Amino acid sequence: MADVVTMEKIVSLCRRRGFVFPASEIYGGLGSSYDYGHYGVLLKENVKARWLEAMVRERDDIVALDSSIILHPRVWEASGHAGGFADPLVDCRTCKQRFRADQLAESSCGRKPSKRPGETPDCDLTEPRQFNLMFETRVGPVEDTGSKVFLRPETAQGIFINFKNVAQLARRKLPFGIAQIGKSFRNEITPGNFIFRTLEFEQMEMEFFVPPAEADDWYRYWIDERRDWYLRLGVRASHLRVRPHDADELSHYSSATSDIEYLYPIGWSELEGIANRGDFDLTAHTEASGTKLEWVDSQSGERYAPHVIEPAAGVNRSMLAFLCDAYDEEVVAERERTVLRLHPLIAPVKAAVLPLIGRDAEMAGRARRLYEELRRVASVEYDDNAQIGRRYRRQDEIGTPFAFTIDEQTLADDTITIRDRDSLAQERISIARGREHLLDLLEQPWRSPKPD
Ligand code: ATP
């Protein structure tokens, strides 16, 4: 059966359930900027938490960092961004739209029926010109050239320039990595496709420093490891692929790059890039700053700039992939339901606590007590408003994997039902075991019931 998900359905669900709103909406919106509501924040925080767990908490060889967004302007000269972080831009004099010259084949111009830019004799495209993607701003009250700074377009450079600090203090041996999550900013020529490409976004980047001779092995290791992370969090294997870059696609710093791509409703697109950056960055910053960013082998005394393998993922793009992979519709007892089949560890709310009859003081009281107990260990929601069927559907739409229902029988024998979001199976357990049972459920492996 074909996947029912479309980008329109995701955008509409995100809006309806308060995951994501257009930014500055009351002023007419600001193209391709989004604000995250309650469930969007919880989902995004879960994506970041799972990444930090996999990268830092569960490993001994990676440490965390949080560097500044505004760095010394010379950082971007040394890294090559001031000169080279540009996309080729073309304008159409007829329809007045802008396109990325390297994406003309996938773009459509503003006219109806939609055409590829340059497809008709009326199209009047300019020659491509390079457009730097970095946002500029100023430090201090005086507008002179010395005060010009940039908002970072990637978090990686903040890691490289801290290499010496971390290498001295982290008490690690090579290979070791530095991981950082944070906002990045790019003045994209053609932002769009909801939160896939926006002007500000969050990145999860890790720079793994290795002896040069081991770089190829670690490059392959990180491609596998990162693909596995998405699989472990329930993304279907059929919707993930690894695409090595052709030589002419490689960035100025990279000797090899592979993208992990997800089959979004817009087609296969980059979710994460894994690059072998060689010693480009450490060497460039050593030359530009005069500070030696090198590794001294304590046994041989040998000094060298380690090579770097970088898995660079986007928080928002990952969130979009998780949402697309999870979206499902089905008919149950002649009623249609929309359900987000999110991995329980990614789901914004882990369990809902629902008194069958909200007006029943005893049921509501028991439910409240259970809720107070569960919220100490997980993100849970209490809801006593509306028919139980509507409350279940609301939880299905936000992807809540488990619902605990307190009913008449609870009052008689202290048992509650647990409803499973995916199978709709209901099980009765003792209310006293509620918390323990939820924690057990959250530890179970989970697979998407959607066809792979
Ligand atoms: P693209 O080719 O799609 O522009 P990129 O190759 O320039 O992406 P990287 O510089 O490798 O992207 O950044 C690492 C990750 O950051 C990307 O895989 C993506 O998940 C995320 N990312 C990059 N640009 C954006 C953006 N404008 N909006 C949202 N996420 C982004």
Side-chain angles (χ1 to χ4, degrees), residues 85 100 103 154 186 188 195-203 205 245 253 259 270-273 310 312-318:
F85 191 59
R100 257 172 72 169
Q103 291 179 352
E154 62 173 33
R186 294 184 189 178
E188 300 272 5
I195 54 173
F196 181 83
R197 189 183 301 284
T198 47
L199 306 179
E200 61 180 275
F201 52 96
E202 281 177 278
Q203 290 187 305
E205 295 195 295
H245 280 206
Y253 51 75
D259 287 344
E270 174 178 341
L271 177 58
E272 166 158 0
E310 172 196 78
V315 176
N316 320 70
R317 270 191 209 178
S318 303

PDB file of all heavy atoms in Angstrom, residues 85 100 103 154 186 188 195-203 205 245 253 259 270-273 310 312-318, ligand 1:
ATOM      1  N   PHE A  85      31.499  30.234   0.986  1.00  0.00           N
ATOM      2  CA  PHE A  85      30.232  29.617   1.386  1.00  0.00           C
ATOM      3  C   PHE A  85      29.098  30.301   0.629  1.00  0.00           C
ATOM      4  O   PHE A  85      28.374  31.150   1.137  1.00  0.00           O
ATOM      5  CB  PHE A  85      30.036  29.747   2.886  1.00  0.00           C
ATOM      6  CG  PHE A  85      28.901  28.919   3.410  1.00  0.00           C
ATOM      7  CD1 PHE A  85      28.890  27.543   3.248  1.00  0.00           C
ATOM      8  CD2 PHE A  85      27.834  29.510   4.058  1.00  0.00           C
ATOM      9  CE1 PHE A  85      27.845  26.775   3.716  1.00  0.00           C
ATOM     10  CE2 PHE A  85      26.786  28.750   4.540  1.00  0.00           C
ATOM     11  CZ  PHE A  85      26.797  27.389   4.364  1.00  0.00           C
ATOM     12  N   ARG A 100      18.318  28.656  -7.371  1.00  0.00           N
ATOM     13  CA  ARG A 100      19.700  28.202  -7.269  1.00  0.00           C
ATOM     14  C   ARG A 100      20.078  27.604  -8.615  1.00  0.00           C
ATOM     15  O   ARG A 100      19.392  26.708  -9.099  1.00  0.00           O
ATOM     16  CB  ARG A 100      19.824  27.154  -6.167  1.00  0.00           C
ATOM     17  CG  ARG A 100      20.427  27.736  -4.905  1.00  0.00           C
ATOM     18  CD  ARG A 100      20.381  26.789  -3.770  1.00  0.00           C
ATOM     19  NE  ARG A 100      21.338  25.706  -3.932  1.00  0.00           N
ATOM     20  CZ  ARG A 100      21.645  24.853  -2.952  1.00  0.00           C
ATOM     21  NH1 ARG A 100      21.073  24.975  -1.774  1.00  0.00           N
ATOM     22  NH2 ARG A 100      22.504  23.882  -3.151  1.00  0.00           N
ATOM     23  N   GLN A 103      20.098  23.992  -8.999  1.00  0.00           N
ATOM     24  CA  GLN A 103      18.868  23.235  -8.732  1.00  0.00           C
ATOM     25  C   GLN A 103      17.750  23.582  -9.709  1.00  0.00           C
ATOM     26  O   GLN A 103      16.577  23.385  -9.411  1.00  0.00           O
ATOM     27  CB  GLN A 103      18.380  23.514  -7.301  1.00  0.00           C
ATOM     28  CG  GLN A 103      19.291  22.917  -6.243  1.00  0.00           C
ATOM     29  CD  GLN A 103      18.806  23.209  -4.829  1.00  0.00           C
ATOM     30  OE1 GLN A 103      17.873  23.985  -4.615  1.00  0.00           O
ATOM     31  NE2 GLN A 103      19.469  22.596  -3.861  1.00  0.00           N
ATOM     32  N   GLU A 154      27.308  27.200  10.554  1.00  0.00           N
ATOM     33  CA  GLU A 154      27.455  25.812  11.012  1.00  0.00           C
ATOM     34  C   GLU A 154      28.060  25.862  12.402  1.00  0.00           C
ATOM     35  O   GLU A 154      28.709  26.836  12.768  1.00  0.00           O
ATOM     36  CB  GLU A 154      28.364  25.013  10.063  1.00  0.00           C
ATOM     37  CG  GLU A 154      29.784  25.557   9.978  1.00  0.00           C
ATOM     38  CD  GLU A 154      30.717  24.660   9.165  1.00  0.00           C
ATOM     39  OE1 GLU A 154      30.266  24.017   8.213  1.00  0.00           O
ATOM     40  OE2 GLU A 154      31.923  24.606   9.521  1.00  0.00           O
ATOM     41  N   ARG A 186      21.451  30.449   7.827  1.00  0.00           N
ATOM     42  CA  ARG A 186      21.889  30.550   6.423  1.00  0.00           C
ATOM     43  C   ARG A 186      20.855  31.342   5.639  1.00  0.00           C
ATOM     44  O   ARG A 186      19.664  31.018   5.692  1.00  0.00           O
ATOM     45  CB  ARG A 186      22.032  29.154   5.788  1.00  0.00           C
ATOM     46  CG  ARG A 186      23.141  28.358   6.422  1.00  0.00           C
ATOM     47  CD  ARG A 186      23.345  27.024   5.741  1.00  0.00           C
ATOM     48  NE  ARG A 186      24.270  26.234   6.530  1.00  0.00           N
ATOM     49  CZ  ARG A 186      24.641  24.988   6.247  1.00  0.00           C
ATOM     50  NH1 ARG A 186      24.171  24.384   5.162  1.00  0.00           N
ATOM     51  NH2 ARG A 186      25.491  24.350   7.031  1.00  0.00           N
ATOM     52  N   GLU A 188      19.408  31.324   2.903  1.00  0.00           N
ATOM     53  CA  GLU A 188      19.190  30.412   1.770  1.00  0.00           C
ATOM     54  C   GLU A 188      18.482  31.135   0.624  1.00  0.00           C
ATOM     55  O   GLU A 188      17.553  31.911   0.851  1.00  0.00           O
ATOM     56  CB  GLU A 188      18.317  29.225   2.205  1.00  0.00           C
ATOM     57  CG  GLU A 188      18.894  28.375   3.318  1.00  0.00           C
ATOM     58  CD  GLU A 188      19.800  27.269   2.784  1.00  0.00           C
ATOM     59  OE1 GLU A 188      20.053  27.231   1.572  1.00  0.00           O
ATOM     60  OE2 GLU A 188      20.274  26.462   3.618  1.00  0.00           O
ATOM     61  N   ILE A 195       9.781  22.753   7.314  1.00  0.00           N
ATOM     62  CA  ILE A 195      10.985  22.936   8.133  1.00  0.00           C
ATOM     63  C   ILE A 195      12.202  22.240   7.539  1.00  0.00           C
ATOM     64  O   ILE A 195      13.237  22.141   8.180  1.00  0.00           O
ATOM     65  CB  ILE A 195      10.750  22.465   9.590  1.00  0.00           C
ATOM     66  CG1 ILE A 195      10.242  21.022   9.625  1.00  0.00           C
ATOM     67  CG2 ILE A 195       9.773  23.401  10.288  1.00  0.00           C
ATOM     68  CD1 ILE A 195      10.153  20.440  11.030  1.00  0.00           C
ATOM     69  N   PHE A 196      12.095  21.780   6.272  1.00  0.00           N
ATOM     70  CA  PHE A 196      13.243  21.118   5.653  1.00  0.00           C
ATOM     71  C   PHE A 196      14.394  22.098   5.438  1.00  0.00           C
ATOM     72  O   PHE A 196      15.545  21.808   5.735  1.00  0.00           O
ATOM     73  CB  PHE A 196      12.851  20.483   4.310  1.00  0.00           C
ATOM     74  CG  PHE A 196      13.993  19.779   3.642  1.00  0.00           C
ATOM     75  CD1 PHE A 196      14.320  18.486   3.996  1.00  0.00           C
ATOM     76  CD2 PHE A 196      14.774  20.413   2.681  1.00  0.00           C
ATOM     77  CE1 PHE A 196      15.395  17.833   3.417  1.00  0.00           C
ATOM     78  CE2 PHE A 196      15.854  19.772   2.093  1.00  0.00           C
ATOM     79  CZ  PHE A 196      16.156  18.471   2.453  1.00  0.00           C
ATOM     80  N   ARG A 197      14.069  23.263   4.901  1.00  0.00           N
ATOM     81  CA  ARG A 197      15.120  24.265   4.657  1.00  0.00           C
ATOM     82  C   ARG A 197      14.623  25.620   5.144  1.00  0.00           C
ATOM     83  O   ARG A 197      13.710  26.201   4.568  1.00  0.00           O
ATOM     84  CB  ARG A 197      15.458  24.337   3.164  1.00  0.00           C
ATOM     85  CG  ARG A 197      16.683  25.187   2.870  1.00  0.00           C
ATOM     86  CD  ARG A 197      16.957  25.309   1.387  1.00  0.00           C
ATOM     87  NE  ARG A 197      17.163  24.028   0.737  1.00  0.00           N
ATOM     88  CZ  ARG A 197      18.271  23.301   0.836  1.00  0.00           C
ATOM     89  NH1 ARG A 197      19.287  23.748   1.536  1.00  0.00           N
ATOM     90  NH2 ARG A 197      18.368  22.134   0.229  1.00  0.00           N
ATOM     91  N   THR A 198      15.219  26.100   6.225  1.00  0.00           N
ATOM     92  CA  THR A 198      14.793  27.370   6.803  1.00  0.00           C
ATOM     93  C   THR A 198      16.023  28.257   6.994  1.00  0.00           C
ATOM     94  O   THR A 198      17.154  27.813   6.790  1.00  0.00           O
ATOM     95  CB  THR A 198      14.114  27.131   8.169  1.00  0.00           C
ATOM     96  OG1 THR A 198      14.931  26.252   8.938  1.00  0.00           O
ATOM     97  CG2 THR A 198      12.740  26.514   7.994  1.00  0.00           C
ATOM     98  N   LEU A 199      15.771  29.499   7.370  1.00  0.00           N
ATOM     99  CA  LEU A 199      16.876  30.439   7.502  1.00  0.00           C
ATOM    100  C   LEU A 199      17.643  30.206   8.793  1.00  0.00           C
ATOM    101  O   LEU A 199      18.850  30.389   8.856  1.00  0.00           O
ATOM    102  CB  LEU A 199      16.349  31.880   7.470  1.00  0.00           C
ATOM    103  CG  LEU A 199      15.473  32.215   6.257  1.00  0.00           C
ATOM    104  CD1 LEU A 199      14.985  33.646   6.342  1.00  0.00           C
ATOM    105  CD2 LEU A 199      16.244  31.984   4.960  1.00  0.00           C
ATOM    106  N   GLU A 200      16.942  29.842   9.842  1.00  0.00           N
ATOM    107  CA  GLU A 200      17.627  29.440  11.077  1.00  0.00           C
ATOM    108  C   GLU A 200      17.170  28.041  11.418  1.00  0.00           C
ATOM    109  O   GLU A 200      16.024  27.682  11.183  1.00  0.00           O
ATOM    110  CB  GLU A 200      17.372  30.414  12.223  1.00  0.00           C
ATOM    111  CG  GLU A 200      15.954  30.575  12.652  1.00  0.00           C
ATOM    112  CD  GLU A 200      15.843  31.573  13.799  1.00  0.00           C
ATOM    113  OE1 GLU A 200      16.021  31.173  14.947  1.00  0.00           O
ATOM    114  OE2 GLU A 200      15.577  32.763  13.528  1.00  0.00           O
ATOM    115  N   PHE A 201      18.094  27.252  11.904  1.00  0.00           N
ATOM    116  CA  PHE A 201      17.800  25.844  12.173  1.00  0.00           C
ATOM    117  C   PHE A 201      18.798  25.357  13.204  1.00  0.00           C
ATOM    118  O   PHE A 201      19.754  26.064  13.539  1.00  0.00           O
ATOM    119  CB  PHE A 201      17.886  25.014  10.881  1.00  0.00           C
ATOM    120  CG  PHE A 201      19.170  25.203  10.127  1.00  0.00           C
ATOM    121  CD1 PHE A 201      20.236  24.310  10.277  1.00  0.00           C
ATOM    122  CD2 PHE A 201      19.338  26.295   9.281  1.00  0.00           C
ATOM    123  CE1 PHE A 201      21.431  24.502   9.600  1.00  0.00           C
ATOM    124  CE2 PHE A 201      20.535  26.499   8.601  1.00  0.00           C
ATOM    125  CZ  PHE A 201      21.579  25.589   8.762  1.00  0.00           C
ATOM    126  N   GLU A 202      18.552  24.160  13.711  1.00  0.00           N
ATOM    127  CA  GLU A 202      19.486  23.628  14.709  1.00  0.00           C
ATOM    128  C   GLU A 202      20.282  22.486  14.104  1.00  0.00           C
ATOM    129  O   GLU A 202      19.730  21.662  13.367  1.00  0.00           O
ATOM    130  CB  GLU A 202      18.727  23.129  15.928  1.00  0.00           C
ATOM    131  CG  GLU A 202      18.315  24.251  16.857  1.00  0.00           C
ATOM    132  CD  GLU A 202      17.491  23.728  18.017  1.00  0.00           C
ATOM    133  OE1 GLU A 202      16.286  23.535  17.823  1.00  0.00           O
ATOM    134  OE2 GLU A 202      18.049  23.512  19.088  1.00  0.00           O
ATOM    135  N   GLN A 203      21.541  22.447  14.435  1.00  0.00           N
ATOM    136  CA  GLN A 203      22.390  21.354  13.960  1.00  0.00           C
ATOM    137  C   GLN A 203      22.883  20.513  15.125  1.00  0.00           C
ATOM    138  O   GLN A 203      23.005  21.001  16.252  1.00  0.00           O
ATOM    139  CB  GLN A 203      23.604  21.921  13.221  1.00  0.00           C
ATOM    140  CG  GLN A 203      23.246  22.563  11.891  1.00  0.00           C
ATOM    141  CD  GLN A 203      24.486  22.954  11.115  1.00  0.00           C
ATOM    142  OE1 GLN A 203      25.325  23.685  11.639  1.00  0.00           O
ATOM    143  NE2 GLN A 203      24.609  22.477   9.905  1.00  0.00           N
ATOM    144  N   GLU A 205      26.188  18.457  15.492  1.00  0.00           N
ATOM    145  CA  GLU A 205      27.426  18.144  14.773  1.00  0.00           C
ATOM    146  C   GLU A 205      28.442  17.555  15.750  1.00  0.00           C
ATOM    147  O   GLU A 205      28.532  17.957  16.908  1.00  0.00           O
ATOM    148  CB  GLU A 205      28.003  19.393  14.122  1.00  0.00           C
ATOM    149  CG  GLU A 205      27.094  19.955  13.036  1.00  0.00           C
ATOM    150  CD  GLU A 205      27.789  20.956  12.134  1.00  0.00           C
ATOM    151  OE1 GLU A 205      28.183  22.030  12.630  1.00  0.00           O
ATOM    152  OE2 GLU A 205      27.940  20.676  10.940  1.00  0.00           O
ATOM    153  N   HIS A 245      28.936  11.336  -2.235  1.00  0.00           N
ATOM    154  CA  HIS A 245      29.011  12.478  -3.161  1.00  0.00           C
ATOM    155  C   HIS A 245      29.943  12.174  -4.318  1.00  0.00           C
ATOM    156  O   HIS A 245      30.967  11.503  -4.141  1.00  0.00           O
ATOM    157  CB  HIS A 245      29.571  13.708  -2.430  1.00  0.00           C
ATOM    158  CG  HIS A 245      28.553  14.414  -1.597  1.00  0.00           C
ATOM    159  ND1 HIS A 245      28.633  15.748  -1.290  1.00  0.00           N
ATOM    160  CD2 HIS A 245      27.422  13.965  -1.010  1.00  0.00           C
ATOM    161  CE1 HIS A 245      27.598  16.089  -0.546  1.00  0.00           C
ATOM    162  NE2 HIS A 245      26.854  15.027  -0.357  1.00  0.00           N
ATOM    163  N   TYR A 253      36.536  21.581   1.729  1.00  0.00           N
ATOM    164  CA  TYR A 253      37.343  20.985   2.798  1.00  0.00           C
ATOM    165  C   TYR A 253      37.352  19.462   2.769  1.00  0.00           C
ATOM    166  O   TYR A 253      38.045  18.838   3.543  1.00  0.00           O
ATOM    167  CB  TYR A 253      36.797  21.439   4.163  1.00  0.00           C
ATOM    168  CG  TYR A 253      35.301  21.212   4.302  1.00  0.00           C
ATOM    169  CD1 TYR A 253      34.784  19.935   4.503  1.00  0.00           C
ATOM    170  CD2 TYR A 253      34.403  22.264   4.189  1.00  0.00           C
ATOM    171  CE1 TYR A 253      33.427  19.708   4.598  1.00  0.00           C
ATOM    172  CE2 TYR A 253      33.035  22.046   4.285  1.00  0.00           C
ATOM    173  CZ  TYR A 253      32.560  20.767   4.486  1.00  0.00           C
ATOM    174  OH  TYR A 253      31.219  20.551   4.564  1.00  0.00           O
ATOM    175  N   ASP A 259      25.944  11.431   2.100  1.00  0.00           N
ATOM    176  CA  ASP A 259      24.726  11.920   2.742  1.00  0.00           C
ATOM    177  C   ASP A 259      23.882  10.735   3.157  1.00  0.00           C
ATOM    178  O   ASP A 259      23.771   9.752   2.415  1.00  0.00           O
ATOM    179  CB  ASP A 259      23.903  12.768   1.760  1.00  0.00           C
ATOM    180  CG  ASP A 259      24.548  14.122   1.513  1.00  0.00           C
ATOM    181  OD1 ASP A 259      25.426  14.509   2.310  1.00  0.00           O
ATOM    182  OD2 ASP A 259      24.162  14.784   0.531  1.00  0.00           O
ATOM    183  N   GLU A 270      18.673  15.129   1.560  1.00  0.00           N
ATOM    184  CA  GLU A 270      19.675  14.990   2.635  1.00  0.00           C
ATOM    185  C   GLU A 270      19.081  15.195   4.021  1.00  0.00           C
ATOM    186  O   GLU A 270      18.378  16.171   4.286  1.00  0.00           O
ATOM    187  CB  GLU A 270      20.790  16.030   2.418  1.00  0.00           C
ATOM    188  CG  GLU A 270      21.787  16.050   3.560  1.00  0.00           C
ATOM    189  CD  GLU A 270      22.934  17.028   3.348  1.00  0.00           C
ATOM    190  OE1 GLU A 270      23.193  17.444   2.201  1.00  0.00           O
ATOM    191  OE2 GLU A 270      23.577  17.374   4.362  1.00  0.00           O
ATOM    192  N   LEU A 271      19.428  14.250   4.880  1.00  0.00           N
ATOM    193  CA  LEU A 271      19.027  14.320   6.275  1.00  0.00           C
ATOM    194  C   LEU A 271      20.255  14.666   7.103  1.00  0.00           C
ATOM    195  O   LEU A 271      20.201  15.446   8.049  1.00  0.00           O
ATOM    196  CB  LEU A 271      18.497  12.923   6.631  1.00  0.00           C
ATOM    197  CG  LEU A 271      18.045  12.558   8.008  1.00  0.00           C
ATOM    198  CD1 LEU A 271      16.936  13.473   8.450  1.00  0.00           C
ATOM    199  CD2 LEU A 271      17.542  11.118   7.994  1.00  0.00           C
ATOM    200  N   GLU A 272      21.360  14.087   6.727  1.00  0.00           N
ATOM    201  CA  GLU A 272      22.605  14.253   7.475  1.00  0.00           C
ATOM    202  C   GLU A 272      23.775  14.031   6.517  1.00  0.00           C
ATOM    203  O   GLU A 272      23.665  13.216   5.601  1.00  0.00           O
ATOM    204  CB  GLU A 272      22.622  13.198   8.601  1.00  0.00           C
ATOM    205  CG  GLU A 272      23.958  12.999   9.247  1.00  0.00           C
ATOM    206  CD  GLU A 272      23.882  12.389  10.653  1.00  0.00           C
ATOM    207  OE1 GLU A 272      22.769  12.111  11.146  1.00  0.00           O
ATOM    208  OE2 GLU A 272      24.950  12.200  11.243  1.00  0.00           O
ATOM    209  N   GLY A 273      24.875  14.749   6.750  1.00  0.00           N
ATOM    210  CA  GLY A 273      26.066  14.522   5.928  1.00  0.00           C
ATOM    211  C   GLY A 273      27.201  14.002   6.799  1.00  0.00           C
ATOM    212  O   GLY A 273      27.380  14.459   7.928  1.00  0.00           O
ATOM    213  N   GLU A 310      33.284  14.078  10.326  1.00  0.00           N
ATOM    214  CA  GLU A 310      32.191  14.898  10.849  1.00  0.00           C
ATOM    215  C   GLU A 310      30.823  14.361  10.448  1.00  0.00           C
ATOM    216  O   GLU A 310      30.439  14.469   9.294  1.00  0.00           O
ATOM    217  CB  GLU A 310      32.312  16.325  10.306  1.00  0.00           C
ATOM    218  CG  GLU A 310      31.110  17.190  10.655  1.00  0.00           C
ATOM    219  CD  GLU A 310      31.039  18.450   9.821  1.00  0.00           C
ATOM    220  OE1 GLU A 310      30.626  18.382   8.647  1.00  0.00           O
ATOM    221  OE2 GLU A 310      31.404  19.505  10.346  1.00  0.00           O
ATOM    222  N   ALA A 312      27.197  15.471  10.489  1.00  0.00           N
ATOM    223  CA  ALA A 312      26.478  16.734  10.712  1.00  0.00           C
ATOM    224  C   ALA A 312      25.008  16.544  10.375  1.00  0.00           C
ATOM    225  O   ALA A 312      24.653  16.346   9.211  1.00  0.00           O
ATOM    226  CB  ALA A 312      27.071  17.841   9.847  1.00  0.00           C
ATOM    227  N   ALA A 313      24.167  16.610  11.415  1.00  0.00           N
ATOM    228  CA  ALA A 313      22.739  16.355  11.200  1.00  0.00           C
ATOM    229  C   ALA A 313      21.945  17.610  11.521  1.00  0.00           C
ATOM    230  O   ALA A 313      22.404  18.478  12.261  1.00  0.00           O
ATOM    231  CB  ALA A 313      22.286  15.224  12.102  1.00  0.00           C
ATOM    232  N   GLY A 314      20.751  17.689  10.982  1.00  0.00           N
ATOM    233  CA  GLY A 314      19.862  18.805  11.293  1.00  0.00           C
ATOM    234  C   GLY A 314      18.770  18.321  12.238  1.00  0.00           C
ATOM    235  O   GLY A 314      18.161  17.287  11.996  1.00  0.00           O
ATOM    236  N   VAL A 315      18.539  19.086  13.302  1.00  0.00           N
ATOM    237  CA  VAL A 315      17.477  18.709  14.252  1.00  0.00           C
ATOM    238  C   VAL A 315      16.120  18.794  13.556  1.00  0.00           C
ATOM    239  O   VAL A 315      15.298  17.881  13.640  1.00  0.00           O
ATOM    240  CB  VAL A 315      17.484  19.659  15.479  1.00  0.00           C
ATOM    241  CG1 VAL A 315      16.329  19.345  16.420  1.00  0.00           C
ATOM    242  CG2 VAL A 315      18.818  19.594  16.202  1.00  0.00           C
ATOM    243  N   ASN A 316      15.890  19.899  12.848  1.00  0.00           N
ATOM    244  CA  ASN A 316      14.574  20.123  12.252  1.00  0.00           C
ATOM    245  C   ASN A 316      14.306  19.150  11.122  1.00  0.00           C
ATOM    246  O   ASN A 316      13.199  18.633  10.976  1.00  0.00           O
ATOM    247  CB  ASN A 316      14.477  21.571  11.753  1.00  0.00           C
ATOM    248  CG  ASN A 316      15.121  22.528  12.728  1.00  0.00           C
ATOM    249  OD1 ASN A 316      16.349  22.528  12.874  1.00  0.00           O
ATOM    250  ND2 ASN A 316      14.330  23.296  13.426  1.00  0.00           N
ATOM    251  N   ARG A 317      15.331  18.874  10.324  1.00  0.00           N
ATOM    252  CA  ARG A 317      15.149  17.891   9.245  1.00  0.00           C
ATOM    253  C   ARG A 317      14.928  16.499   9.797  1.00  0.00           C
ATOM    254  O   ARG A 317      14.187  15.707   9.217  1.00  0.00           O
ATOM    255  CB  ARG A 317      16.366  17.869   8.334  1.00  0.00           C
ATOM    256  CG  ARG A 317      16.209  18.836   7.214  1.00  0.00           C
ATOM    257  CD  ARG A 317      17.280  18.625   6.166  1.00  0.00           C
ATOM    258  NE  ARG A 317      17.514  19.902   5.526  1.00  0.00           N
ATOM    259  CZ  ARG A 317      18.411  20.099   4.578  1.00  0.00           C
ATOM    260  NH1 ARG A 317      19.170  19.107   4.163  1.00  0.00           N
ATOM    261  NH2 ARG A 317      18.557  21.283   4.025  1.00  0.00           N
ATOM    262  N   SER A 318      15.600  16.171  10.910  1.00  0.00           N
ATOM    263  CA  SER A 318      15.372  14.858  11.524  1.00  0.00           C
ATOM    264  C   SER A 318      13.942  14.788  12.036  1.00  0.00           C
ATOM    265  O   SER A 318      13.246  13.802  11.836  1.00  0.00           O
ATOM    266  CB  SER A 318      16.288  14.616  12.717  1.00  0.00           C
ATOM    267  OG  SER A 318      17.614  14.727  12.341  1.00  0.00           O
TER     268      SER A 318
HETATM  269  P1  ATP B   1      21.791  21.233   1.621  1.00  0.00           P
HETATM  270  O1  ATP B   1      22.626  20.601   0.532  1.00  0.00           O
HETATM  271  O2  ATP B   1      20.435  20.593   1.810  1.00  0.00           O
HETATM  272  O3  ATP B   1      21.736  22.734   1.558  1.00  0.00           O
HETATM  273  P2  ATP B   1      24.130  21.094   3.204  1.00  0.00           P
HETATM  274  O4  ATP B   1      24.854  19.975   2.547  1.00  0.00           O
HETATM  275  O5  ATP B   1      24.536  22.491   2.911  1.00  0.00           O
HETATM  276  O6  ATP B   1      22.542  20.931   2.992  1.00  0.00           O
HETATM  277  P3  ATP B   1      25.413  20.736   5.703  1.00  0.00           P
HETATM  278  O7  ATP B   1      26.232  21.955   5.600  1.00  0.00           O
HETATM  279  O8  ATP B   1      26.062  19.408   5.478  1.00  0.00           O
HETATM  280  O9  ATP B   1      24.130  20.875   4.762  1.00  0.00           O
HETATM  281  O10 ATP B   1      24.668  20.768   7.104  1.00  0.00           O
HETATM  282  C1  ATP B   1      24.421  19.609   7.879  1.00  0.00           C
HETATM  283  C2  ATP B   1      22.954  19.407   8.128  1.00  0.00           C
HETATM  284  O11 ATP B   1      22.325  20.603   8.595  1.00  0.00           O
HETATM  285  C3  ATP B   1      22.150  19.043   6.879  1.00  0.00           C
HETATM  286  O12 ATP B   1      22.261  17.669   6.612  1.00  0.00           O
HETATM  287  C4  ATP B   1      20.749  19.415   7.301  1.00  0.00           C
HETATM  288  O13 ATP B   1      20.159  18.394   8.095  1.00  0.00           O
HETATM  289  C5  ATP B   1      20.971  20.630   8.177  1.00  0.00           C
HETATM  290  N1  ATP B   1      20.712  21.854   7.394  1.00  0.00           N
HETATM  291  C6  ATP B   1      21.566  22.495   6.556  1.00  0.00           C
HETATM  292  N2  ATP B   1      20.976  23.599   6.043  1.00  0.00           N
HETATM  293  C7  ATP B   1      19.727  23.651   6.570  1.00  0.00           C
HETATM  294  C8  ATP B   1      18.630  24.565   6.430  1.00  0.00           C
HETATM  295  N3  ATP B   1      18.718  25.664   5.689  1.00  0.00           N
HETATM  296  N4  ATP B   1      17.485  24.296   7.110  1.00  0.00           N
HETATM  297  C9  ATP B   1      17.372  23.201   7.898  1.00  0.00           C
HETATM  298  N5  ATP B   1      18.385  22.306   8.074  1.00  0.00           N
HETATM  299  C10 ATP B   1      19.545  22.525   7.421  1.00  0.00           C
END
